[in-house]
Amino acid sequence: LAWALLKQGDKSAAALAFRKAASNLLDRQLQRDAYYRLALLLLDTGKYQEAQAALQQVQALAAGAADQEVSFYLAQSQLRSGELEAAARGFGAIADQAADSLRGRQARYYQGQALWQMGRFREAGTIFEGLALQAAAVGEERVTARLRAAAAYFSADLFERSAELYALVSADASASEATRREVLSPLAKAYLQANRLSEAEGILIGAASGNPWVTPMLLQVAKGYAKQGKWREAAAVYGEIPNADQSTRWERARATRQSGETLAATELYEALVASANSNRPQILLELADTYGELEQLAKERSTLERLGIEPMATVKLSEATSQAWQRSGERAFKKEQFTEATLAFRTAERYAAQATPAAWKARYWLGSALLASHRFEDALLELGRLTASRTVPTKADLEIFNNWRSLALLKQGEALERLRHWEAARAAYREMVKDPLVPERDRQEALARLAWIKQNVPN
């Protein structure tokens, strides 16, 4: 009856009939066969615990005789019900007994699956790799084993070995064309994780180009090159990314600048400024600095002036703008373009927060630029705003303030000397010598200036 129901395709009724037969049959061989057929039907319908019980009855009726097929299905029911440790042991025992047989290779494969599910990836990888190396493993069987081994090694963070196995599959003529295409993505990922960036790049811009998953991986390659300081390679990869968004084009401009291709970087930055609808102020800042590095000071100032019409959305952006004007002023000062330097330092001070190191530095350099351009009274006025400041700096900034103040006092003394106001200059230097907040090096400079005046200027 059970066999007839099974032939008709009524598995539930067949299972019930096999169960009744197994519990009533007196012939041990027939009873064993009934339990075995019941177990297979239970496995087929996902009733794994019941299948185990039926298979254990089969083993008990075998009177100690080992049956490889029964052991295989028992381990399979344990695997599917989540009893992974027991399943791994069962499959391992079968594989050890018949390593070269088809059933033995299947058991070894499922042993690897059980170890994989337990998170024992290195062991699983070793098993799958061993299967791929067996002489009997050819064609699809070998390809499947290598793919599983590569995936297991990747999960075990053994990226070099994973990449090697994926590469073997990619080059295996017995693998289907679809498989060789599909393996490109995990192969590129393995190369990336193994820090083999050139190999990953070769796949992504070669055989794999056009796939939707290529772009995020190319970004990872570019960032990897940048992290290694290989800016030229990073810039080249950023340039390979199709339909690059603003962020990617910005990173390309930065990498190009870092690689020493400063002129090319300005072209990329200018294109960004023209199309950017966000981050424009920061892009303008970097563009201005790039022109500064090229000693194109007029373009640097022009770019910073363009920045002036942008809203200063954050304090941090305002501080960065102040620093950019400060750098521009120092470049102009070095080239003795004192009018331009004066404008730059005055703008730097305007963007800086009051009573901060950036503001004191800008004020000092402003006075220095005025002094260098022979505007001595204006220099005294600006420097005096720093030396006579009543703003009490924070404790953390006190030493910085005193340093800029003492440097400004020296510049005031120099301005008074240039105006031949010798008595006022003496008074300024004497005040510095007596001031306990003046750094020792500046005190010594003041003493030297007093000695020079005494020697060279009549009373």
Side-chain angles (χ1 to χ4, degrees), residues 350-392:
R350 188 175 81 244
Y351 279 107
Q354 292 185 1
T356 60
W360 301 325
K361 182 179 182 180
R363 176 63 53 187
Y364 167 78
W365 279 97
L366 173 58
S368 299
L370 290 166
L371 180 60
S373 58
H374 297 176
R375 294 169 59 184
F376 304 124
E377 289 87 354
D378 291 337
L380 284 170
L381 175 64
E382 297 296 347
L383 292 166
R385 290 172 60 189
L386 175 56
T387 58
S389 173
R390 300 299 180 200
T391 304
V392 180

mmCIF file of all heavy atoms in Angstrom, residues 350-392:
data_model
loop_
_atom_site.group_PDB
_atom_site.id
_atom_site.type_symbol
_atom_site.label_atom_id
_atom_site.label_comp_id
_atom_site.label_asym_id
_atom_site.label_seq_id
_atom_site.Cartn_x
_atom_site.Cartn_y
_atom_site.Cartn_z
ATOM 1 N N ARG A 350 39.412 89.981 9.518
ATOM 2 C CA ARG A 350 37.967 90.163 9.534
ATOM 3 C C ARG A 350 37.234 88.830 9.666
ATOM 4 O O ARG A 350 36.222 88.731 10.350
ATOM 5 C CB ARG A 350 37.529 90.875 8.250
ATOM 6 C CG ARG A 350 36.057 91.282 8.282
ATOM 7 C CD ARG A 350 35.654 92.088 7.087
ATOM 8 N NE ARG A 350 35.387 91.266 5.924
ATOM 9 C CZ ARG A 350 36.082 91.292 4.802
ATOM 10 N NH1 ARG A 350 37.128 92.104 4.673
ATOM 11 N NH2 ARG A 350 35.773 90.511 3.784
ATOM 12 N N TYR A 351 37.757 87.782 9.019
ATOM 13 C CA TYR A 351 37.109 86.473 9.085
ATOM 14 C C TYR A 351 37.430 85.723 10.377
ATOM 15 O O TYR A 351 36.708 84.808 10.751
ATOM 16 C CB TYR A 351 37.518 85.617 7.887
ATOM 17 C CG TYR A 351 36.746 85.927 6.622
ATOM 18 C CD1 TYR A 351 37.348 86.599 5.565
ATOM 19 C CD2 TYR A 351 35.405 85.558 6.495
ATOM 20 C CE1 TYR A 351 36.643 86.878 4.405
ATOM 21 C CE2 TYR A 351 34.695 85.834 5.344
ATOM 22 C CZ TYR A 351 35.320 86.501 4.302
ATOM 23 O OH TYR A 351 34.617 86.777 3.153
ATOM 24 N N ALA A 352 38.518 86.091 11.032
ATOM 25 C CA ALA A 352 38.910 85.380 12.259
ATOM 26 C C ALA A 352 38.041 85.819 13.427
ATOM 27 O O ALA A 352 37.609 86.974 13.504
ATOM 28 C CB ALA A 352 40.375 85.639 12.575
ATOM 29 N N ALA A 353 37.788 84.895 14.327
ATOM 30 C CA ALA A 353 37.067 85.258 15.552
ATOM 31 C C ALA A 353 37.937 86.174 16.397
ATOM 32 O O ALA A 353 39.172 86.047 16.420
ATOM 33 C CB ALA A 353 36.714 83.996 16.332
ATOM 34 N N GLN A 354 37.305 87.116 17.110
ATOM 35 C CA GLN A 354 38.058 88.068 17.921
ATOM 36 C C GLN A 354 38.783 87.357 19.056
ATOM 37 O O GLN A 354 38.330 86.351 19.580
ATOM 38 C CB GLN A 354 37.119 89.131 18.495
ATOM 39 C CG GLN A 354 36.537 90.058 17.428
ATOM 40 C CD GLN A 354 35.709 91.174 18.038
ATOM 41 O OE1 GLN A 354 35.570 91.271 19.251
ATOM 42 N NE2 GLN A 354 35.179 92.034 17.190
ATOM 43 N N ALA A 355 39.940 87.959 19.425
ATOM 44 C CA ALA A 355 40.747 87.474 20.549
ATOM 45 C C ALA A 355 41.125 86.001 20.387
ATOM 46 O O ALA A 355 41.025 85.208 21.314
ATOM 47 C CB ALA A 355 40.028 87.708 21.873
ATOM 48 N N THR A 356 41.549 85.633 19.190
ATOM 49 C CA THR A 356 42.008 84.266 18.911
ATOM 50 C C THR A 356 43.403 84.344 18.302
ATOM 51 O O THR A 356 43.805 85.398 17.776
ATOM 52 C CB THR A 356 41.075 83.548 17.926
ATOM 53 O OG1 THR A 356 41.046 84.274 16.689
ATOM 54 C CG2 THR A 356 39.670 83.429 18.500
ATOM 55 N N PRO A 357 44.156 83.263 18.348
ATOM 56 C CA PRO A 357 45.496 83.276 17.737
ATOM 57 C C PRO A 357 45.480 83.713 16.277
ATOM 58 O O PRO A 357 46.401 84.402 15.830
ATOM 59 C CB PRO A 357 45.946 81.819 17.894
ATOM 60 C CG PRO A 357 45.278 81.354 19.145
ATOM 61 C CD PRO A 357 43.939 82.013 19.124
ATOM 62 N N ALA A 358 44.435 83.309 15.518
ATOM 63 C CA ALA A 358 44.368 83.699 14.110
ATOM 64 C C ALA A 358 44.244 85.217 13.971
ATOM 65 O O ALA A 358 44.873 85.831 13.091
ATOM 66 C CB ALA A 358 43.193 83.011 13.435
ATOM 67 N N ALA A 359 43.443 85.837 14.829
ATOM 68 C CA ALA A 359 43.267 87.296 14.774
ATOM 69 C C ALA A 359 44.557 88.016 15.169
ATOM 70 O O ALA A 359 44.948 89.008 14.540
ATOM 71 C CB ALA A 359 42.128 87.701 15.704
ATOM 72 N N TRP A 360 45.260 87.539 16.198
ATOM 73 C CA TRP A 360 46.517 88.175 16.621
ATOM 74 C C TRP A 360 47.579 88.049 15.533
ATOM 75 O O TRP A 360 48.306 88.995 15.251
ATOM 76 C CB TRP A 360 47.023 87.529 17.913
ATOM 77 C CG TRP A 360 46.037 87.625 19.043
ATOM 78 C CD1 TRP A 360 45.177 88.653 19.308
ATOM 79 C CD2 TRP A 360 45.789 86.634 20.037
ATOM 80 N NE1 TRP A 360 44.407 88.375 20.402
ATOM 81 C CE2 TRP A 360 44.766 87.136 20.887
ATOM 82 C CE3 TRP A 360 46.322 85.388 20.322
ATOM 83 C CZ2 TRP A 360 44.285 86.425 21.973
ATOM 84 C CZ3 TRP A 360 45.844 84.680 21.413
ATOM 85 C CH2 TRP A 360 44.837 85.188 22.222
ATOM 86 N N LYS A 361 47.647 86.883 14.922
ATOM 87 C CA LYS A 361 48.624 86.676 13.853
ATOM 88 C C LYS A 361 48.354 87.615 12.683
ATOM 89 O O LYS A 361 49.276 88.249 12.143
ATOM 90 C CB LYS A 361 48.568 85.215 13.393
ATOM 91 C CG LYS A 361 49.568 84.865 12.315
ATOM 92 C CD LYS A 361 49.457 83.386 11.953
ATOM 93 C CE LYS A 361 50.491 82.992 10.895
ATOM 94 N NZ LYS A 361 50.398 81.551 10.539
ATOM 95 N N ALA A 362 47.077 87.711 12.271
ATOM 96 C CA ALA A 362 46.721 88.590 11.155
ATOM 97 C C ALA A 362 47.037 90.044 11.486
ATOM 98 O O ALA A 362 47.569 90.786 10.645
ATOM 99 C CB ALA A 362 45.248 88.427 10.812
ATOM 100 N N ARG A 363 46.749 90.465 12.719
ATOM 101 C CA ARG A 363 47.028 91.847 13.132
ATOM 102 C C ARG A 363 48.531 92.138 13.100
ATOM 103 O O ARG A 363 48.967 93.196 12.626
ATOM 104 C CB ARG A 363 46.482 92.073 14.542
ATOM 105 C CG ARG A 363 46.776 93.432 15.148
ATOM 106 C CD ARG A 363 46.153 94.569 14.407
ATOM 107 N NE ARG A 363 44.725 94.378 14.216
ATOM 108 C CZ ARG A 363 43.952 95.170 13.485
ATOM 109 N NH1 ARG A 363 44.482 96.186 12.845
ATOM 110 N NH2 ARG A 363 42.675 94.937 13.348
ATOM 111 N N TYR A 364 49.330 91.203 13.575
ATOM 112 C CA TYR A 364 50.790 91.394 13.564
ATOM 113 C C TYR A 364 51.305 91.529 12.130
ATOM 114 O O TYR A 364 52.073 92.426 11.805
ATOM 115 C CB TYR A 364 51.487 90.224 14.259
ATOM 116 C CG TYR A 364 52.971 90.199 14.010
ATOM 117 C CD1 TYR A 364 53.818 91.064 14.700
ATOM 118 C CD2 TYR A 364 53.528 89.357 13.046
ATOM 119 C CE1 TYR A 364 55.185 91.078 14.455
ATOM 120 C CE2 TYR A 364 54.891 89.363 12.790
ATOM 121 C CZ TYR A 364 55.716 90.217 13.500
ATOM 122 O OH TYR A 364 57.061 90.247 13.256
ATOM 123 N N TRP A 365 50.849 90.606 11.248
ATOM 124 C CA TRP A 365 51.326 90.658 9.874
ATOM 125 C C TRP A 365 50.802 91.890 9.136
ATOM 126 O O TRP A 365 51.478 92.427 8.254
ATOM 127 C CB TRP A 365 50.920 89.383 9.139
ATOM 128 C CG TRP A 365 51.850 88.248 9.422
ATOM 129 C CD1 TRP A 365 51.690 87.258 10.321
ATOM 130 C CD2 TRP A 365 53.110 88.014 8.794
ATOM 131 N NE1 TRP A 365 52.761 86.394 10.312
ATOM 132 C CE2 TRP A 365 53.650 86.841 9.372
ATOM 133 C CE3 TRP A 365 53.829 88.661 7.794
ATOM 134 C CZ2 TRP A 365 54.883 86.323 8.980
ATOM 135 C CZ3 TRP A 365 55.052 88.151 7.397
ATOM 136 C CH2 TRP A 365 55.566 86.986 7.990
ATOM 137 N N LEU A 366 49.633 92.357 9.498
ATOM 138 C CA LEU A 366 49.106 93.583 8.906
ATOM 139 C C LEU A 366 50.026 94.754 9.243
ATOM 140 O O LEU A 366 50.404 95.549 8.368
ATOM 141 C CB LEU A 366 47.691 93.849 9.416
ATOM 142 C CG LEU A 366 47.044 95.194 9.028
ATOM 143 C CD1 LEU A 366 46.983 95.329 7.506
ATOM 144 C CD2 LEU A 366 45.654 95.298 9.634
ATOM 145 N N GLY A 367 50.390 94.861 10.522
ATOM 146 C CA GLY A 367 51.327 95.918 10.919
ATOM 147 C C GLY A 367 52.662 95.785 10.221
ATOM 148 O O GLY A 367 53.262 96.778 9.786
ATOM 149 N N SER A 368 53.141 94.541 10.069
ATOM 150 C CA SER A 368 54.426 94.310 9.397
ATOM 151 C C SER A 368 54.369 94.729 7.933
ATOM 152 O O SER A 368 55.331 95.295 7.393
ATOM 153 C CB SER A 368 54.808 92.829 9.501
ATOM 154 O OG SER A 368 54.960 92.445 10.852
ATOM 155 N N ALA A 369 53.239 94.432 7.252
ATOM 156 C CA ALA A 369 53.100 94.812 5.844
ATOM 157 C C ALA A 369 53.060 96.335 5.695
ATOM 158 O O ALA A 369 53.660 96.897 4.764
ATOM 159 C CB ALA A 369 51.839 94.185 5.262
ATOM 160 N N LEU A 370 52.350 97.006 6.592
ATOM 161 C CA LEU A 370 52.303 98.469 6.557
ATOM 162 C C LEU A 370 53.685 99.059 6.807
ATOM 163 O O LEU A 370 54.090 100.035 6.158
ATOM 164 C CB LEU A 370 51.303 98.980 7.594
ATOM 165 C CG LEU A 370 49.827 98.708 7.281
ATOM 166 C CD1 LEU A 370 48.964 98.946 8.512
ATOM 167 C CD2 LEU A 370 49.357 99.571 6.106
ATOM 168 N N LEU A 371 54.419 98.475 7.729
ATOM 169 C CA LEU A 371 55.773 98.933 8.023
ATOM 170 C C LEU A 371 56.674 98.745 6.805
ATOM 171 O O LEU A 371 57.451 99.628 6.442
ATOM 172 C CB LEU A 371 56.318 98.150 9.223
ATOM 173 C CG LEU A 371 57.743 98.484 9.687
ATOM 174 C CD1 LEU A 371 57.842 99.950 10.103
ATOM 175 C CD2 LEU A 371 58.153 97.566 10.827
ATOM 176 N N ALA A 372 56.555 97.576 6.147
ATOM 177 C CA ALA A 372 57.393 97.296 4.985
ATOM 178 C C ALA A 372 57.078 98.226 3.827
ATOM 179 O O ALA A 372 57.952 98.493 2.981
ATOM 180 C CB ALA A 372 57.203 95.844 4.557
ATOM 181 N N SER A 373 55.823 98.720 3.770
ATOM 182 C CA SER A 373 55.453 99.649 2.689
ATOM 183 C C SER A 373 55.638 101.115 3.110
ATOM 184 O O SER A 373 55.113 102.016 2.464
ATOM 185 C CB SER A 373 54.009 99.396 2.251
ATOM 186 O OG SER A 373 53.128 99.532 3.344
ATOM 187 N N HIS A 374 56.374 101.332 4.215
ATOM 188 C CA HIS A 374 56.741 102.666 4.706
ATOM 189 C C HIS A 374 55.547 103.476 5.192
ATOM 190 O O HIS A 374 55.624 104.716 5.263
ATOM 191 C CB HIS A 374 57.507 103.461 3.636
ATOM 192 C CG HIS A 374 58.816 102.824 3.277
ATOM 193 N ND1 HIS A 374 59.639 103.328 2.286
ATOM 194 C CD2 HIS A 374 59.459 101.731 3.759
ATOM 195 C CE1 HIS A 374 60.723 102.561 2.183
ATOM 196 N NE2 HIS A 374 60.623 101.582 3.072
ATOM 197 N N ARG A 375 54.487 102.798 5.560
ATOM 198 C CA ARG A 375 53.328 103.484 6.147
ATOM 199 C C ARG A 375 53.463 103.356 7.669
ATOM 200 O O ARG A 375 52.755 102.605 8.332
ATOM 201 C CB ARG A 375 52.036 102.865 5.629
ATOM 202 C CG ARG A 375 51.824 103.080 4.133
ATOM 203 C CD ARG A 375 50.690 102.256 3.583
ATOM 204 N NE ARG A 375 49.412 102.526 4.230
ATOM 205 C CZ ARG A 375 48.281 101.873 3.974
ATOM 206 N NH1 ARG A 375 48.289 100.911 3.050
ATOM 207 N NH2 ARG A 375 47.178 102.181 4.615
ATOM 208 N N PHE A 376 54.422 104.110 8.208
ATOM 209 C CA PHE A 376 54.850 103.902 9.583
ATOM 210 C C PHE A 376 53.757 104.266 10.592
ATOM 211 O O PHE A 376 53.551 103.558 11.580
ATOM 212 C CB PHE A 376 56.122 104.707 9.861
ATOM 213 C CG PHE A 376 57.237 104.397 8.904
ATOM 214 C CD1 PHE A 376 57.836 105.405 8.161
ATOM 215 C CD2 PHE A 376 57.666 103.094 8.717
ATOM 216 C CE1 PHE A 376 58.851 105.117 7.275
ATOM 217 C CE2 PHE A 376 58.689 102.797 7.822
ATOM 218 C CZ PHE A 376 59.282 103.819 7.102
ATOM 219 N N GLU A 377 53.067 105.399 10.368
ATOM 220 C CA GLU A 377 52.015 105.782 11.312
ATOM 221 C C GLU A 377 50.881 104.759 11.309
ATOM 222 O O GLU A 377 50.354 104.399 12.371
ATOM 223 C CB GLU A 377 51.454 107.172 10.949
ATOM 224 C CG GLU A 377 52.407 108.321 11.213
ATOM 225 C CD GLU A 377 53.341 108.563 10.030
ATOM 226 O OE1 GLU A 377 53.296 107.750 9.066
ATOM 227 O OE2 GLU A 377 54.111 109.531 10.080
ATOM 228 N N ASP A 378 50.517 104.298 10.111
ATOM 229 C CA ASP A 378 49.462 103.276 10.032
ATOM 230 C C ASP A 378 49.908 101.989 10.711
ATOM 231 O O ASP A 378 49.116 101.316 11.388
ATOM 232 C CB ASP A 378 49.113 102.982 8.565
ATOM 233 C CG ASP A 378 48.413 104.149 7.893
ATOM 234 O OD1 ASP A 378 47.820 104.974 8.615
ATOM 235 O OD2 ASP A 378 48.456 104.233 6.654
ATOM 236 N N ALA A 379 51.189 101.649 10.551
ATOM 237 C CA ALA A 379 51.713 100.452 11.199
ATOM 238 C C ALA A 379 51.634 100.584 12.719
ATOM 239 O O ALA A 379 51.217 99.642 13.419
ATOM 240 C CB ALA A 379 53.156 100.203 10.771
ATOM 241 N N LEU A 380 52.011 101.760 13.243
ATOM 242 C CA LEU A 380 51.926 101.976 14.694
ATOM 243 C C LEU A 380 50.496 101.840 15.191
ATOM 244 O O LEU A 380 50.242 101.268 16.264
ATOM 245 C CB LEU A 380 52.470 103.373 15.040
ATOM 246 C CG LEU A 380 53.993 103.516 15.008
ATOM 247 C CD1 LEU A 380 54.392 104.987 15.118
ATOM 248 C CD2 LEU A 380 54.610 102.713 16.152
ATOM 249 N N LEU A 381 49.560 102.361 14.409
ATOM 250 C CA LEU A 381 48.156 102.294 14.808
ATOM 251 C C LEU A 381 47.682 100.839 14.884
ATOM 252 O O LEU A 381 47.068 100.430 15.880
ATOM 253 C CB LEU A 381 47.306 103.078 13.806
ATOM 254 C CG LEU A 381 45.787 103.010 14.026
ATOM 255 C CD1 LEU A 381 45.410 103.658 15.357
ATOM 256 C CD2 LEU A 381 45.045 103.679 12.870
ATOM 257 N N GLU A 382 47.970 100.072 13.842
ATOM 258 C CA GLU A 382 47.493 98.683 13.810
ATOM 259 C C GLU A 382 48.196 97.827 14.861
ATOM 260 O O GLU A 382 47.562 97.014 15.546
ATOM 261 C CB GLU A 382 47.699 98.091 12.410
ATOM 262 C CG GLU A 382 46.922 98.774 11.299
ATOM 263 C CD GLU A 382 45.415 98.648 11.473
ATOM 264 O OE1 GLU A 382 44.947 97.838 12.305
ATOM 265 O OE2 GLU A 382 44.681 99.361 10.772
ATOM 266 N N LEU A 383 49.507 97.995 14.992
ATOM 267 C CA LEU A 383 50.245 97.221 15.989
ATOM 268 C C LEU A 383 49.817 97.610 17.402
ATOM 269 O O LEU A 383 49.752 96.766 18.306
ATOM 270 C CB LEU A 383 51.754 97.442 15.806
ATOM 271 C CG LEU A 383 52.349 96.845 14.523
ATOM 272 C CD1 LEU A 383 53.741 97.417 14.277
ATOM 273 C CD2 LEU A 383 52.397 95.330 14.616
ATOM 274 N N GLY A 384 49.490 98.883 17.596
ATOM 275 C CA GLY A 384 49.048 99.340 18.911
ATOM 276 C C GLY A 384 47.725 98.700 19.312
ATOM 277 O O GLY A 384 47.479 98.466 20.504
ATOM 278 N N ARG A 385 46.871 98.392 18.350
ATOM 279 C CA ARG A 385 45.609 97.718 18.661
ATOM 280 C C ARG A 385 45.854 96.316 19.214
ATOM 281 O O ARG A 385 45.017 95.767 19.945
ATOM 282 C CB ARG A 385 44.741 97.640 17.414
ATOM 283 C CG ARG A 385 44.192 99.007 16.982
ATOM 284 C CD ARG A 385 43.516 98.926 15.642
ATOM 285 N NE ARG A 385 42.392 98.000 15.655
ATOM 286 C CZ ARG A 385 41.732 97.611 14.564
ATOM 287 N NH1 ARG A 385 42.122 98.051 13.379
ATOM 288 N NH2 ARG A 385 40.729 96.768 14.647
ATOM 289 N N LEU A 386 47.011 95.740 18.854
ATOM 290 C CA LEU A 386 47.359 94.429 19.403
ATOM 291 C C LEU A 386 48.076 94.565 20.743
ATOM 292 O O LEU A 386 47.719 93.891 21.712
ATOM 293 C CB LEU A 386 48.253 93.684 18.400
ATOM 294 C CG LEU A 386 48.823 92.332 18.848
ATOM 295 C CD1 LEU A 386 47.717 91.367 19.277
ATOM 296 C CD2 LEU A 386 49.660 91.708 17.734
ATOM 297 N N THR A 387 49.053 95.457 20.828
ATOM 298 C CA THR A 387 49.844 95.553 22.064
ATOM 299 C C THR A 387 49.054 96.164 23.213
ATOM 300 O O THR A 387 49.324 95.868 24.380
ATOM 301 C CB THR A 387 51.106 96.390 21.817
ATOM 302 O OG1 THR A 387 50.732 97.703 21.357
ATOM 303 C CG2 THR A 387 51.992 95.728 20.776
ATOM 304 N N ALA A 388 48.076 97.006 22.880
ATOM 305 C CA ALA A 388 47.291 97.658 23.932
ATOM 306 C C ALA A 388 45.949 96.968 24.148
ATOM 307 O O ALA A 388 45.064 97.523 24.801
ATOM 308 C CB ALA A 388 47.064 99.130 23.569
ATOM 309 N N SER A 389 45.794 95.742 23.602
ATOM 310 C CA SER A 389 44.512 95.044 23.720
ATOM 311 C C SER A 389 44.148 94.786 25.173
ATOM 312 O O SER A 389 44.979 94.377 25.986
ATOM 313 C CB SER A 389 44.587 93.709 22.964
ATOM 314 O OG SER A 389 43.430 92.953 23.187
ATOM 315 N N ARG A 390 42.881 95.058 25.505
ATOM 316 C CA ARG A 390 42.386 94.832 26.865
ATOM 317 C C ARG A 390 41.668 93.474 26.977
ATOM 318 O O ARG A 390 41.228 93.104 28.070
ATOM 319 C CB ARG A 390 41.411 95.939 27.261
ATOM 320 C CG ARG A 390 42.016 97.339 27.238
ATOM 321 C CD ARG A 390 43.160 97.469 28.207
ATOM 322 N NE ARG A 390 43.745 98.790 28.211
ATOM 323 C CZ ARG A 390 44.957 99.081 28.666
ATOM 324 N NH1 ARG A 390 45.717 98.088 29.116
ATOM 325 N NH2 ARG A 390 45.407 100.309 28.650
ATOM 326 N N THR A 391 41.553 92.784 25.861
ATOM 327 C CA THR A 391 40.872 91.489 25.879
ATOM 328 C C THR A 391 41.747 90.465 26.578
ATOM 329 O O THR A 391 42.923 90.302 26.238
ATOM 330 C CB THR A 391 40.567 91.018 24.454
ATOM 331 O OG1 THR A 391 39.797 92.022 23.790
ATOM 332 C CG2 THR A 391 39.795 89.711 24.479
ATOM 333 N N VAL A 392 41.197 89.818 27.568
ATOM 334 C CA VAL A 392 41.956 88.813 28.316
ATOM 335 C C VAL A 392 41.832 87.475 27.590
ATOM 336 O O VAL A 392 40.735 86.928 27.483
ATOM 337 C CB VAL A 392 41.430 88.684 29.758
ATOM 338 C CG1 VAL A 392 42.235 87.622 30.516
ATOM 339 C CG2 VAL A 392 41.505 90.029 30.460
#
